Amino acid sequence: MLRTHTCGELRLENINQEVSLAGWVQRVRNKGGLIWVDLRDRYGVTQLIFEEGSTDKNLLEKAAQLGREFVVKASGLVIERTSKNDKIPTGSIEIKVSDLEVLNPAKVPPFIIEDETDGGDDLRMKYRYLDLRRNVVREKLQLRHRMMQETRKYMDAQNFIEVETPVLIKSTPEGARDFVVPSRVNPGEFYALPQSPQTFKQLLMVSGFDRYFQIVKCFRDEDLRADRQPEFTQIDCEMSFVSQEDILNTFEGLTRHLFREVMGIELEEVKRMTFADAMKYYGNDKPDLRFDMKFVELNELVKGKGFGIFDSAELIVGICAKGAAEYTRKQLDELTDWVKRPQIGAKGLVHVKYNSDGSLKSTVDKFYSQDDLNAWAEAFGAEPGDLMLVLSGDAKSVRKQLSELRLKMGEDLGLRDRTVFKPLWVVDFPLLEWDEETSRFHAMHHPFTSPKKEDIPLLETNPGAVRANAYDLVINGVEIGGGSIRIHDKTTQQLMFKHLGFSEEEAQKQFGFLMEAFEYGAPPHGGIAFGFDRLCAIFGGSDSIRDYIAFPKNNSGRDVMIDSPSTIAEEQLEELSIRVQLKK
């Protein structure tokens, strides 16, 4: 070993020991006859000291030539610092260096490699291997490592077997575009990279592996944002001979284990909410429960009063922002402009201030009396000092708009505390959802999700009303995991394919292997997949998953460090029997 200790290890009890350290030069402070060097490795920082009179002249000159990020080995005596630094664990000692070896010099880095850096996102992505030297980034990957280990520990204790599934598979419709890989030995044919190991984990259940899990790479060719990458990691799980309740309890247990062992937090009760209630009271299927502001529907109270906008609306619905009646006219105008942005799409915003003197002031006073507004306030459960905000329009759009406004108000009022965690199971999702572009139903989750038995007759008469044995785990408004009880018999699976618009030939071509497997004694089974990158970001208090991935892509799906994706040589294309013709 080139070192006897790490740069984060030495303390006062090590004084008078001869040691060797190796690492990167964080900074050099040269006072002429006195030079201090901060030496850094993954474990911490230790100060080296070179002093005229007690340090060899050649060694002093060598230390003076050190630059940032030089890789060096330093040997010497541990001594007590006269001016201690209580901000670092090694701040009570320093190394009086007797020998210095430059293992590798370094160019001046393109940005400062410290917690507070001057490097922008694009620059740090280009030099990601330098960015990873920063404590704040490395700590995020250490958190990821810890969570991975604790996941395996819990799953093993629950008798799950970790099984790897193929990466080169068959292209199947699962909701997003596949990444495809040409086959050289089968010209004109392609593999797909898995969007998830869905069919394989079901086949493992048919094989008798009644508890499977895998921390697995998945791939989706979709538009990117802060919580999406083209390649991402799932904790993928499946169980046989279980009900939905068994799965919720098992993976609520995993969630509690991770919070306890990694964060030192005992989670409170994990609430349950139906999809219908989530949409009715929060406007989306992943409500943030760190604050209240439930939706209140006002149709019966506000229609028929001569206000045409409300009278013609399918839904009039609002929220009550506690303590926000002090919002100024300027703030309210800014809120109105915000909801009218194209991204939100509202036509306007009605507000009612419940003043401290008990009076009510609204933007629709011309149409509604104080008694009317008092009835509104009673419906909202509003008190003096509160602000009521109301939107109207077609039901689907207005719920989505109000959901965005609710989240904004929660953020603006400081109610979305990153140190508070509110987990929730959302259950009873619709099995199917209507797609306007294709004018047909699509599976809300995937084609293998089981409908609730009592709803199966509705497939013929009212497909949109059929509920699925599906569930999502939501934490602080972020979907962390989702799964379902699966279809495990050929007849029901064929029925599902039929209602998704598959011909018998299409279903056989794409999923014949699975339906055949169901004929060889498939057990009842179900599972769940956690978005591991998102889970890490929640634990780390971040909105973006990129810092929890060692080498992420940018928002264009590019790795700017290695310049990928890129063109390939004509010889390779020829081997693959491929000709590239770009659309103009």
Side-chain angles (χ1 to χ4, degrees):
M1 296 289 287
L2 297 184
R3 59 189 179 188
T4 60
H5 297 78
T6 70
C7 294
E9 189 175 349
L10 298 170
R11 302 290 188 272
L12 284 172
E13 54 265 31
N14 299 107
I15 284 176
N16 293 325
Q17 289 183 17
E18 287 285 344
V19 299
S20 293
L21 304 182
W24 288 262
V25 173
Q26 178 89 11
R27 68 173 67 86
V28 178
R29 299 186 298 284
N30 191 338
K31 302 295 184 182
L34 187 61
I35 299 173
W36 291 281
V37 175
D38 288 346
L39 192 66
R40 180 195 73 238
D41 64 10
R42 166 187 152 191
Y43 305 95
V45 175
T46 297
Q47 181 170 283
L48 313 179
I49 183 170
F50 303 81
E51 192 170 9
E52 194 174 43
S54 60
T55 300
D56 178 80
K57 183 180 178 182
N58 290 334
L59 188 58
L60 199 64
E61 289 176 358
K62 199 172 186 179
Q65 293 170 10
L66 294 176
R68 282 181 179 266
E69 302 308 308
F70 275 43
V71 184
V72 303
K73 174 188 173 185
S75 300
L77 190 69
V78 182
I79 61 174
E80 186 172 0
R81 281 175 68 158
T82 53
S83 178
K84 294 181 172 58
N85 180 357
D86 59 6
K87 292 184 173 61
I88 57 173
T90 61
S92 295
I93 60 92
E94 59 191 356
I95 309 300
K96 186 176 181 180
V97 178
S98 57
D99 184 66
L100 179 68
E101 181 182 354
V102 175
L103 300 173
N104 215 335
K107 294 195 298 185
V108 176
F111 53 87
I112 296 171
I113 301 175
E114 294 185 18
D115 290 358
E116 296 297 325
T117 182
D118 57 352
D121 286 348
D122 291 342
L123 188 63
R124 289 186 291 108
M125 286 279 282
K126 183 176 180 180
Y127 296 96
R128 179 65 169 173
Y129 50 87
L130 298 180
D131 196 33
L132 288 170
R133 293 181 187 175
R134 297 170 56 230
N135 286 331
V136 290
V137 181
R138 185 170 57 248
E139 284 166 3
K140 289 177 169 62
L141 291 178
Q142 288 171 334
L143 171 67
R144 182 187 180 98
H145 164 78
R146 181 85 187 280
M147 291 183 68
M148 201 170 275
Q149 302 314 308
E150 290 298 337
T151 296
R152 287 194 164 100
K153 186 187 298 184
Y154 176 86
M155 299 301 281
D156 183 60
Q158 299 295 317
N159 292 323
F160 282 80
I161 299 173
E162 186 167 7
V163 182
E164 292 177 284
T165 53
V167 173
L168 297 174
I169 67 167
K170 183 184 183 72
S171 181
T172 58
E174 288 196 38
R177 297 180 191 88
D178 287 325
F179 283 103
V180 294
V181 181
S183 170
R184 179 183 59 81
V185 296
N186 299 283
E189 296 185 325
F190 295 81
Y191 299 105
L193 302 182
Q195 294 182 34
S196 80
Q198 183 61 45
T199 52
F200 288 101
K201 64 182 179 180
Q202 290 190 251
L203 290 170
L204 284 169
M205 297 303 103
V206 178
S207 304
F209 289 77
D210 69 331
R211 291 194 168 204
Y212 141 92
F213 89 102
Q214 184 181 188
I215 299 177
V216 60
K217 278 285 186 189
C218 301
F219 307 86
R220 291 180 187 171
D221 187 6
E222 57 187 350
D223 295 335
L224 304 183
R225 58 189 188 209
D227 64 348
R228 281 185 183 169
Q229 284 275 294
E231 53 181 310
F232 57 96
T233 304
Q234 286 184 177
I235 309 172
D236 197 58
C237 316
E238 200 79 3
M239 304 170 72
S240 293
F241 305 114
V242 289
S243 66
Q244 177 174 297
E245 191 66 23
D246 296 320
I247 292 175
L248 300 193
N249 289 334
T250 299
F251 293 101
E252 186 175 311
L254 171 61
T255 307
R256 290 184 182 281
H257 175 84
L258 290 173
F259 271 98
R260 183 186 309 114
E261 298 302 320
V262 178
M263 300 283 284
I265 292 173
E266 287 292 342
L267 276 186
E268 59 181 47
E269 174 196 4
V270 181
K271 294 184 178 180
R272 309 274 179 92
M273 184 182 298
T274 65
F275 172 87
D277 281 349
M279 298 305 294
K280 180 177 181 178
Y281 294 116
Y282 299 97
N284 68 53
D285 58 5
K286 45 183 184 295
D288 187 343
L289 298 187
R290 284 174 292 180
F291 62 105
D292 194 15
M293 281 196 220
K294 274 187 178 179
F295 290 9
V296 175
E297 296 181 8
L298 301 170
N299 285 33
E300 293 182 7
L301 290 178
V302 304
K303 289 205 170 196
K305 302 285 185 176
F307 185 43
I309 292 174
F310 282 179
D311 287 344
S312 62
E314 182 185 0
L315 178 65
I316 304 98
V317 63
I319 54 174
C320 179
K322 292 290 180 185
E326 299 301 317
Y327 264 43
T328 64
R329 180 59 189 236
K330 180 183 177 185
Q331 285 176 298
L332 291 168
D333 286 345
E334 287 173 350
L335 268 186
T336 302
D337 291 340
W338 189 86
V339 298
K340 289 167 77 172
R341 295 181 311 150
Q343 301 96 310
I344 308 299
K347 291 184 171 63
L349 175 67
V350 170
H351 72 261
V352 183
K353 283 187 175 186
Y354 200 151
N355 297 316
S356 55
D357 63 3
S359 65
L360 292 149
K361 180 67 178 171
S362 83
T363 46
V364 288
D365 285 345
K366 180 180 176 181
F367 302 96
Y368 298 93
S369 67
Q370 285 290 297
D371 286 344
D372 291 330
L373 297 178
N374 273 316
W376 293 23
E378 186 177 345
F380 278 110
E383 301 170 324
D386 294 347
L387 175 67
M388 291 162 271
L389 300 168
V390 181
L391 295 175
S392 62
D394 71 271
K396 186 175 180 180
S397 297
V398 80
R399 281 199 174 98
K400 185 176 181 182
Q401 293 157 6
L402 190 60
S403 172
E404 296 295 333
L405 179 59
R406 176 183 177 272
L407 292 174
K408 176 175 173 56
M409 293 304 295
E411 192 71 44
D412 291 352
L413 296 172
L415 303 175
R416 302 182 74 186
D417 186 343
R418 292 182 186 275
T419 65
V420 173
F421 300 94
K422 296 287 184 178
L424 167 73
W425 285 110
V426 179
V427 298
D428 294 353
F429 280 82
L431 182 71
L432 307 169
E433 57 184 344
W434 184 256
D435 186 281
E436 294 291 346
E437 287 186 19
T438 58
S439 297
R440 66 180 180 88
F441 282 104
H442 288 259
M444 179 169 269
H445 286 80
H446 53 61
F448 318 109
T449 298
S450 169
K452 287 189 173 289
K453 283 185 180 179
E454 61 269 30
D455 289 357
I456 289 178
L458 293 173
L459 280 169
E460 300 297 338
T461 58
N462 188 7
V466 178
R467 295 167 300 160
N469 275 314
Y471 34 83
D472 280 357
L473 179 63
V474 175
I475 301 177
N476 295 358
V478 177
E479 179 196 330
I480 294 301
S484 65
I485 299 297
R486 320 302 188 190
I487 296 169
H488 68 279
D489 65 281
K490 183 177 180 179
T491 303
T492 308
Q493 189 65 72
Q494 285 176 322
L495 184 64
M496 183 67 169
F497 286 145
K498 173 189 167 187
H499 285 282
L500 290 173
F502 286 83
S503 68
E504 285 189 27
E505 293 75 19
E506 288 172 331
Q508 182 62 34
K509 181 180 178 182
Q510 295 200 13
F511 300 110
F513 65 93
L514 184 64
M515 288 190 287
E516 184 177 15
F518 287 168
E519 295 184 285
Y520 286 96
H525 59 279
I528 192 169
F530 286 79
F532 186 63
D533 311 294
R534 287 185 188 178
L535 193 58
C536 290
I538 284 280
F539 274 51
S542 303
D543 292 321
S544 173
I545 65 174
R546 287 203 310 206
D547 278 347
Y548 299 85
I549 299 171
F551 299 103
K553 309 289 190 292
N554 67 12
N555 286 342
S556 300
R558 296 198 66 83
D559 185 330
V560 294
M561 182 183 69
I562 64 172
D563 191 23
S564 173
S566 61
T567 58
I568 61 174
E570 284 295 328
E571 292 82 358
Q572 284 179 281
L573 290 173
E574 191 172 327
E575 276 191 327
L576 295 167
S577 303
I578 289 175
R579 181 183 296 113
V580 175
Q581 185 174 351
L582 299 177
K583 288 184 179 179
K584 293 182 180 179

